[in-house]
Amino acid sequence: MLMGSVHHEPAGEPTFEAMIQIDMEIKTFVSAWKHCDYVSTYMARMISQNRSDSVRHSNLFSSAFNELLEVAFRTRHTDGELACRVSRHGATDRIELTFPCVPEERQFYQEAVSQVAGFEARERYLNSVSGDLAPSREVVLLELAVDYNATLRVEEAEGDAVKLVVDLPLEGLQH
Amino acid sequence: MSPYNLLPRFKAQYDANNQEFSISGVVRPQAIDELGPSLALLRDAIGRVRGVLYVNVRRLTQMNNAAFHAFSRIIIDACRARPDLRFVVITSSVVGWTSRKFGRLSGIEPNITVEEYDSEFYPGQGFLEEGGFVPILRTQTKMTWRHERTILPRHGMRPGIVMADICCGLGDFVVLVQKEFQPSRIVALDHSISSLDYARRVMREFDIRGIEYTYGDASEMLLDEAQFDLVTCRHSLQIFNRPELILKELYRICKPGGRVYITNEKNSHCLGEPRAESIRWTYNEVAKLFAHFEMDVELGPKSRRYLIEAGFEDIRVETFMVTNLDGDPQDFADVIVAWADVYAGDMATRRGDGPEFIARFRQGFQDHIFAALHPKGYAGWPIWVASGRRPQ
Ligand SMILES: C[S@@+](CC[C@H](N)C(=O)[O-])C[C@H]1O[C@@H](n2cnc3c(N)ncnc32)[C@H](O)[C@@H]1O
């Protein structure tokens, strides 16, 4: 960019450019736990090559994305498609993860995500670390906000499905 | 992409001597039972230690929340049951998420502290990373490149390969490689943030593509196994006190059938005419000075042994001599000026050398410069090149 020039943003939502998308039958996905690791590692590598530190970006991205995939893995509805899409706007990478779920789960995600935005997110996360229970799906989402500065929201998806939209500003997180 | 590995991809160990529990690799279990033996090892370690337990996660590349919670709970419970016990978690500055994630633990229990392991990789690091070395490295690369561009193809360099340059410094070498040989992908790693900033700036200014610079520690890299056709590591094995550890990492990231290429010096063999005696004396002293700081600038001819012992085959060794006749003799002289500044300056002072020694030490460099610029003079700096193939 030239010195002194001004970058004009269109009003409202900035445009995210699509980077990569992977779709698969949810049945196939949940047939093996290793798919979470496999998909997160593969996609992280693909989208990180033109980041300023591709190797470390890939490590961070995989770390965050794997948690989301593990969330999707626990879905109670095993019919339909899992779609993972990554797009980019500047320093932010956006993950859109659409997967089948039962209506109560969708409600659950909506509540969980609205709590993530709350002030006490960090405290709730710390309580969960010292608590007895293995991390719930809600805690996993909280952790993304606390440790990766992620912002999360739930969007409408067709049929019995939910779409989690997670923005990760990893490029700014590294040093 | 490498095929998915079904073997456990992490390792937990306890070192009783250092009271250190370490866990490394990728820890992404579906159920906590998969961690049973490692969790038992941690509990057992806690039962044995007095005072402090070090928890080393420097080589931990991935850990999911389920596993993190399982390990953390054991540590937190131990803090509560045994207030006499302290935990020091050691993370790496390279793996971004570990410091953040483990850092939270100190907010839960004051007896847990988290330290980012960073500096002091090898004894002489300070001189080379912060000192006046930056401009020398640039001129050095320009001088060695004249030779290496014809040597490299004999060691596996060719268009289209995937390569890594470890301890890449300012990146001049990979930029030259990119222009001359067009590899399909270059990863260049160093542990100096300022050098990497410089390298990235050059890349932006000259619109160079296809080089990925990354911050990392050569002794424990985030790079995956077996992914490069050629791994280069230039003038750097000689600055580590345990070069075999670095070589092990170079081996690991090299593809079977690919090659690892290293260059090193033997400083005592720098030479010049006239004033050969004084020059020889000084460079003998250079070798001793580096040895004092646990760096072996005499490593060049030992490359063959190091490569054999690291498990390489088809080892090729050759030498070349950078001289004042290669290009502008002033370039050669500039490099010597810079060496003299650091060696007879900061380093000699740090060793505690007296003024008399330093004066004689400097004289040899001046004589080397004299030889380089003399109309009938000759000045040389010999380099050992060696490469080995990782067995199939
Ligand atoms: C003597 S310089 C050689 C640089 C370059 N290869 C060249 O020929 O110009 C050594 C380099 O190793 C880097 N280095 C030192 N310790 C390191 C470590 N633990 N991991 C990666 N790089 C390291 C330094 O930052 C420095 O750039």
PDB file of all heavy atoms in Angstrom, chain B residues 126-148:
ATOM      1  N   GLY B 126      24.790 -15.118  21.775  1.00  0.00           N
ATOM      2  CA  GLY B 126      24.729 -13.660  21.839  1.00  0.00           C
ATOM      3  C   GLY B 126      25.589 -12.980  20.794  1.00  0.00           C
ATOM      4  O   GLY B 126      25.152 -12.069  20.107  1.00  0.00           O
ATOM      5  N   PHE B 127      26.822 -13.458  20.625  1.00  0.00           N
ATOM      6  CA  PHE B 127      27.747 -12.814  19.694  1.00  0.00           C
ATOM      7  C   PHE B 127      27.194 -12.784  18.283  1.00  0.00           C
ATOM      8  O   PHE B 127      27.376 -11.843  17.543  1.00  0.00           O
ATOM      9  CB  PHE B 127      29.068 -13.583  19.628  1.00  0.00           C
ATOM     10  CG  PHE B 127      29.760 -13.672  20.943  1.00  0.00           C
ATOM     11  CD1 PHE B 127      30.039 -14.910  21.514  1.00  0.00           C
ATOM     12  CD2 PHE B 127      30.124 -12.523  21.624  1.00  0.00           C
ATOM     13  CE1 PHE B 127      30.673 -14.984  22.737  1.00  0.00           C
ATOM     14  CE2 PHE B 127      30.771 -12.607  22.852  1.00  0.00           C
ATOM     15  CZ  PHE B 127      31.046 -13.846  23.413  1.00  0.00           C
ATOM     16  N   LEU B 128      26.577 -13.894  17.918  1.00  0.00           N
ATOM     17  CA  LEU B 128      26.189 -14.024  16.522  1.00  0.00           C
ATOM     18  C   LEU B 128      24.825 -13.438  16.256  1.00  0.00           C
ATOM     19  O   LEU B 128      24.555 -12.932  15.180  1.00  0.00           O
ATOM     20  CB  LEU B 128      26.217 -15.498  16.128  1.00  0.00           C
ATOM     21  CG  LEU B 128      27.595 -16.126  16.342  1.00  0.00           C
ATOM     22  CD1 LEU B 128      27.515 -17.629  16.328  1.00  0.00           C
ATOM     23  CD2 LEU B 128      28.579 -15.633  15.300  1.00  0.00           C
ATOM     24  N   GLU B 129      23.946 -13.499  17.261  1.00  0.00           N
ATOM     25  CA  GLU B 129      22.593 -13.034  16.994  1.00  0.00           C
ATOM     26  C   GLU B 129      22.466 -11.525  17.091  1.00  0.00           C
ATOM     27  O   GLU B 129      21.772 -10.909  16.314  1.00  0.00           O
ATOM     28  CB  GLU B 129      21.598 -13.709  17.923  1.00  0.00           C
ATOM     29  CG  GLU B 129      20.673 -14.598  17.130  1.00  0.00           C
ATOM     30  CD  GLU B 129      19.531 -15.148  17.932  1.00  0.00           C
ATOM     31  OE1 GLU B 129      18.930 -14.392  18.723  1.00  0.00           O
ATOM     32  OE2 GLU B 129      19.236 -16.337  17.766  1.00  0.00           O
ATOM     33  N   GLU B 130      23.132 -10.936  18.086  1.00  0.00           N
ATOM     34  CA  GLU B 130      22.934  -9.505  18.272  1.00  0.00           C
ATOM     35  C   GLU B 130      24.103  -8.709  17.716  1.00  0.00           C
ATOM     36  O   GLU B 130      23.954  -7.583  17.296  1.00  0.00           O
ATOM     37  CB  GLU B 130      22.804  -9.158  19.763  1.00  0.00           C
ATOM     38  CG  GLU B 130      21.667  -9.873  20.444  1.00  0.00           C
ATOM     39  CD  GLU B 130      22.094 -10.374  21.817  1.00  0.00           C
ATOM     40  OE1 GLU B 130      22.990  -9.776  22.424  1.00  0.00           O
ATOM     41  OE2 GLU B 130      21.530 -11.392  22.254  1.00  0.00           O
ATOM     42  N   GLY B 131      25.260  -9.325  17.721  1.00  0.00           N
ATOM     43  CA  GLY B 131      26.482  -8.581  17.413  1.00  0.00           C
ATOM     44  C   GLY B 131      26.484  -7.985  16.029  1.00  0.00           C
ATOM     45  O   GLY B 131      25.475  -7.922  15.331  1.00  0.00           O
ATOM     46  N   GLY B 132      27.632  -7.548  15.603  1.00  0.00           N
ATOM     47  CA  GLY B 132      27.737  -6.879  14.305  1.00  0.00           C
ATOM     48  C   GLY B 132      27.765  -7.859  13.161  1.00  0.00           C
ATOM     49  O   GLY B 132      28.300  -7.573  12.102  1.00  0.00           O
ATOM     50  N   PHE B 133      27.167  -9.031  13.361  1.00  0.00           N
ATOM     51  CA  PHE B 133      27.329 -10.084  12.370  1.00  0.00           C
ATOM     52  C   PHE B 133      26.467  -9.932  11.119  1.00  0.00           C
ATOM     53  O   PHE B 133      26.758 -10.540  10.105  1.00  0.00           O
ATOM     54  CB  PHE B 133      27.073 -11.448  13.012  1.00  0.00           C
ATOM     55  CG  PHE B 133      28.305 -12.302  13.041  1.00  0.00           C
ATOM     56  CD1 PHE B 133      29.253 -12.144  14.034  1.00  0.00           C
ATOM     57  CD2 PHE B 133      28.539 -13.248  12.054  1.00  0.00           C
ATOM     58  CE1 PHE B 133      30.399 -12.901  14.060  1.00  0.00           C
ATOM     59  CE2 PHE B 133      29.681 -14.011  12.067  1.00  0.00           C
ATOM     60  CZ  PHE B 133      30.617 -13.839  13.070  1.00  0.00           C
ATOM     61  N   VAL B 134      25.423  -9.133  11.216  1.00  0.00           N
ATOM     62  CA  VAL B 134      24.482  -9.074  10.098  1.00  0.00           C
ATOM     63  C   VAL B 134      25.125  -8.691   8.759  1.00  0.00           C
ATOM     64  O   VAL B 134      25.022  -9.421   7.782  1.00  0.00           O
ATOM     65  CB  VAL B 134      23.272  -8.187  10.451  1.00  0.00           C
ATOM     66  CG1 VAL B 134      22.456  -7.853   9.216  1.00  0.00           C
ATOM     67  CG2 VAL B 134      22.414  -8.891  11.481  1.00  0.00           C
ATOM     68  N   PRO B 135      25.864  -7.570   8.711  1.00  0.00           N
ATOM     69  CA  PRO B 135      26.461  -7.229   7.410  1.00  0.00           C
ATOM     70  C   PRO B 135      27.502  -8.246   6.948  1.00  0.00           C
ATOM     71  O   PRO B 135      27.635  -8.485   5.737  1.00  0.00           O
ATOM     72  CB  PRO B 135      27.111  -5.861   7.652  1.00  0.00           C
ATOM     73  CG  PRO B 135      27.105  -5.644   9.115  1.00  0.00           C
ATOM     74  CD  PRO B 135      26.095  -6.530   9.725  1.00  0.00           C
ATOM     75  N   ILE B 136      28.217  -8.873   7.882  1.00  0.00           N
ATOM     76  CA  ILE B 136      29.221  -9.853   7.454  1.00  0.00           C
ATOM     77  C   ILE B 136      28.546 -11.009   6.754  1.00  0.00           C
ATOM     78  O   ILE B 136      29.038 -11.506   5.743  1.00  0.00           O
ATOM     79  CB  ILE B 136      29.984 -10.520   8.632  1.00  0.00           C
ATOM     80  CG1 ILE B 136      30.263  -9.541   9.737  1.00  0.00           C
ATOM     81  CG2 ILE B 136      31.220 -11.239   8.132  1.00  0.00           C
ATOM     82  CD1 ILE B 136      31.102 -10.156  10.843  1.00  0.00           C
ATOM     83  N   LEU B 137      27.446 -11.438   7.310  1.00  0.00           N
ATOM     84  CA  LEU B 137      26.784 -12.599   6.742  1.00  0.00           C
ATOM     85  C   LEU B 137      26.386 -12.352   5.290  1.00  0.00           C
ATOM     86  O   LEU B 137      26.485 -13.225   4.442  1.00  0.00           O
ATOM     87  CB  LEU B 137      25.558 -12.976   7.574  1.00  0.00           C
ATOM     88  CG  LEU B 137      25.873 -13.502   8.982  1.00  0.00           C
ATOM     89  CD1 LEU B 137      24.609 -13.669   9.799  1.00  0.00           C
ATOM     90  CD2 LEU B 137      26.636 -14.818   8.921  1.00  0.00           C
ATOM     91  N   ARG B 138      25.965 -11.128   5.013  1.00  0.00           N
ATOM     92  CA  ARG B 138      25.544 -10.803   3.644  1.00  0.00           C
ATOM     93  C   ARG B 138      26.708 -10.907   2.665  1.00  0.00           C
ATOM     94  O   ARG B 138      26.592 -11.522   1.605  1.00  0.00           O
ATOM     95  CB  ARG B 138      24.994  -9.370   3.587  1.00  0.00           C
ATOM     96  CG  ARG B 138      23.761  -9.182   4.452  1.00  0.00           C
ATOM     97  CD  ARG B 138      22.809  -8.223   3.819  1.00  0.00           C
ATOM     98  NE  ARG B 138      22.281  -8.767   2.567  1.00  0.00           N
ATOM     99  CZ  ARG B 138      21.649  -8.053   1.678  1.00  0.00           C
ATOM    100  NH1 ARG B 138      21.475  -6.763   1.858  1.00  0.00           N
ATOM    101  NH2 ARG B 138      21.184  -8.615   0.588  1.00  0.00           N
ATOM    102  N   THR B 139      27.824 -10.293   3.039  1.00  0.00           N
ATOM    103  CA  THR B 139      28.973 -10.335   2.132  1.00  0.00           C
ATOM    104  C   THR B 139      29.512 -11.756   2.008  1.00  0.00           C
ATOM    105  O   THR B 139      29.894 -12.204   0.925  1.00  0.00           O
ATOM    106  CB  THR B 139      30.076  -9.380   2.632  1.00  0.00           C
ATOM    107  OG1 THR B 139      29.461  -8.171   3.024  1.00  0.00           O
ATOM    108  CG2 THR B 139      31.103  -9.111   1.564  1.00  0.00           C
ATOM    109  N   GLN B 140      29.518 -12.477   3.121  1.00  0.00           N
ATOM    110  CA  GLN B 140      29.989 -13.865   3.088  1.00  0.00           C
ATOM    111  C   GLN B 140      29.186 -14.699   2.101  1.00  0.00           C
ATOM    112  O   GLN B 140      29.730 -15.479   1.324  1.00  0.00           O
ATOM    113  CB  GLN B 140      29.855 -14.499   4.475  1.00  0.00           C
ATOM    114  CG  GLN B 140      30.936 -14.102   5.440  1.00  0.00           C
ATOM    115  CD  GLN B 140      30.826 -14.859   6.757  1.00  0.00           C
ATOM    116  OE1 GLN B 140      29.973 -15.719   6.932  1.00  0.00           O
ATOM    117  NE2 GLN B 140      31.692 -14.534   7.681  1.00  0.00           N
ATOM    118  N   THR B 141      27.877 -14.527   2.150  1.00  0.00           N
ATOM    119  CA  THR B 141      27.026 -15.323   1.267  1.00  0.00           C
ATOM    120  C   THR B 141      27.303 -14.989  -0.195  1.00  0.00           C
ATOM    121  O   THR B 141      27.351 -15.867  -1.051  1.00  0.00           O
ATOM    122  CB  THR B 141      25.540 -15.100   1.604  1.00  0.00           C
ATOM    123  OG1 THR B 141      25.362 -15.344   2.988  1.00  0.00           O
ATOM    124  CG2 THR B 141      24.643 -16.028   0.814  1.00  0.00           C
ATOM    125  N   LYS B 142      27.498 -13.709  -0.454  1.00  0.00           N
ATOM    126  CA  LYS B 142      27.813 -13.298  -1.823  1.00  0.00           C
ATOM    127  C   LYS B 142      29.100 -13.993  -2.294  1.00  0.00           C
ATOM    128  O   LYS B 142      29.189 -14.472  -3.424  1.00  0.00           O
ATOM    129  CB  LYS B 142      27.991 -11.771  -1.823  1.00  0.00           C
ATOM    130  CG  LYS B 142      28.278 -11.164  -3.170  1.00  0.00           C
ATOM    131  CD  LYS B 142      28.108  -9.640  -3.093  1.00  0.00           C
ATOM    132  CE  LYS B 142      29.346  -8.900  -3.595  1.00  0.00           C
ATOM    133  NZ  LYS B 142      29.372  -7.479  -3.199  1.00  0.00           N
ATOM    134  N   MET B 143      30.080 -14.084  -1.412  1.00  0.00           N
ATOM    135  CA  MET B 143      31.365 -14.681  -1.798  1.00  0.00           C
ATOM    136  C   MET B 143      31.286 -16.204  -1.925  1.00  0.00           C
ATOM    137  O   MET B 143      31.886 -16.792  -2.828  1.00  0.00           O
ATOM    138  CB  MET B 143      32.447 -14.299  -0.784  1.00  0.00           C
ATOM    139  CG  MET B 143      32.672 -12.789  -0.736  1.00  0.00           C
ATOM    140  SD  MET B 143      34.198 -12.284   0.130  1.00  0.00           S
ATOM    141  CE  MET B 143      34.085 -13.191   1.622  1.00  0.00           C
ATOM    142  N   THR B 144      30.562 -16.825  -1.024  1.00  0.00           N
ATOM    143  CA  THR B 144      30.494 -18.290  -1.092  1.00  0.00           C
ATOM    144  C   THR B 144      29.600 -18.738  -2.250  1.00  0.00           C
ATOM    145  O   THR B 144      29.805 -19.804  -2.825  1.00  0.00           O
ATOM    146  CB  THR B 144      29.963 -18.902   0.222  1.00  0.00           C
ATOM    147  OG1 THR B 144      28.756 -18.239   0.581  1.00  0.00           O
ATOM    148  CG2 THR B 144      30.974 -18.747   1.343  1.00  0.00           C
ATOM    149  N   TRP B 145      28.620 -17.908  -2.590  1.00  0.00           N
ATOM    150  CA  TRP B 145      27.673 -18.290  -3.641  1.00  0.00           C
ATOM    151  C   TRP B 145      28.361 -18.551  -4.984  1.00  0.00           C
ATOM    152  O   TRP B 145      27.993 -19.456  -5.729  1.00  0.00           O
ATOM    153  CB  TRP B 145      26.587 -17.223  -3.797  1.00  0.00           C
ATOM    154  CG  TRP B 145      25.628 -17.542  -4.899  1.00  0.00           C
ATOM    155  CD1 TRP B 145      25.515 -16.921  -6.102  1.00  0.00           C
ATOM    156  CD2 TRP B 145      24.658 -18.600  -4.906  1.00  0.00           C
ATOM    157  NE1 TRP B 145      24.533 -17.511  -6.849  1.00  0.00           N
ATOM    158  CE2 TRP B 145      23.987 -18.546  -6.142  1.00  0.00           C
ATOM    159  CE3 TRP B 145      24.293 -19.573  -3.969  1.00  0.00           C
ATOM    160  CZ2 TRP B 145      22.975 -19.429  -6.491  1.00  0.00           C
ATOM    161  CZ3 TRP B 145      23.282 -20.467  -4.310  1.00  0.00           C
ATOM    162  CH2 TRP B 145      22.642 -20.393  -5.551  1.00  0.00           C
ATOM    163  N   ARG B 146      29.378 -17.762  -5.279  1.00  0.00           N
ATOM    164  CA  ARG B 146      30.105 -17.941  -6.546  1.00  0.00           C
ATOM    165  C   ARG B 146      30.559 -19.384  -6.704  1.00  0.00           C
ATOM    166  O   ARG B 146      30.638 -19.903  -7.799  1.00  0.00           O
ATOM    167  CB  ARG B 146      31.353 -17.062  -6.562  1.00  0.00           C
ATOM    168  CG  ARG B 146      31.033 -15.598  -6.628  1.00  0.00           C
ATOM    169  CD  ARG B 146      32.273 -14.789  -7.030  1.00  0.00           C
ATOM    170  NE  ARG B 146      31.961 -13.384  -6.948  1.00  0.00           N
ATOM    171  CZ  ARG B 146      32.268 -12.610  -5.897  1.00  0.00           C
ATOM    172  NH1 ARG B 146      32.944 -13.109  -4.879  1.00  0.00           N
ATOM    173  NH2 ARG B 146      31.912 -11.348  -5.888  1.00  0.00           N
ATOM    174  N   HIS B 147      30.901 -20.002  -5.568  1.00  0.00           N
ATOM    175  CA  HIS B 147      31.364 -21.390  -5.609  1.00  0.00           C
ATOM    176  C   HIS B 147      30.185 -22.358  -5.488  1.00  0.00           C
ATOM    177  O   HIS B 147      30.078 -23.328  -6.232  1.00  0.00           O
ATOM    178  CB  HIS B 147      32.342 -21.641  -4.454  1.00  0.00           C
ATOM    179  CG  HIS B 147      33.542 -20.748  -4.501  1.00  0.00           C
ATOM    180  ND1 HIS B 147      34.720 -21.123  -5.074  1.00  0.00           N
ATOM    181  CD2 HIS B 147      33.735 -19.469  -4.060  1.00  0.00           C
ATOM    182  CE1 HIS B 147      35.602 -20.136  -4.971  1.00  0.00           C
ATOM    183  NE2 HIS B 147      35.029 -19.118  -4.361  1.00  0.00           N
ATOM    184  N   GLU B 148      29.322 -22.054  -4.558  1.00  0.00           N
ATOM    185  CA  GLU B 148      28.255 -23.015  -4.263  1.00  0.00           C
ATOM    186  C   GLU B 148      27.282 -23.212  -5.421  1.00  0.00           C
ATOM    187  O   GLU B 148      26.710 -24.283  -5.567  1.00  0.00           O
ATOM    188  CB  GLU B 148      27.495 -22.589  -3.002  1.00  0.00           C
ATOM    189  CG  GLU B 148      28.259 -22.928  -1.729  1.00  0.00           C
ATOM    190  CD  GLU B 148      27.464 -22.569  -0.488  1.00  0.00           C
ATOM    191  OE1 GLU B 148      27.596 -21.417  -0.047  1.00  0.00           O
ATOM    192  OE2 GLU B 148      26.717 -23.425   0.029  1.00  0.00           O
TER     193      GLU B 148
END
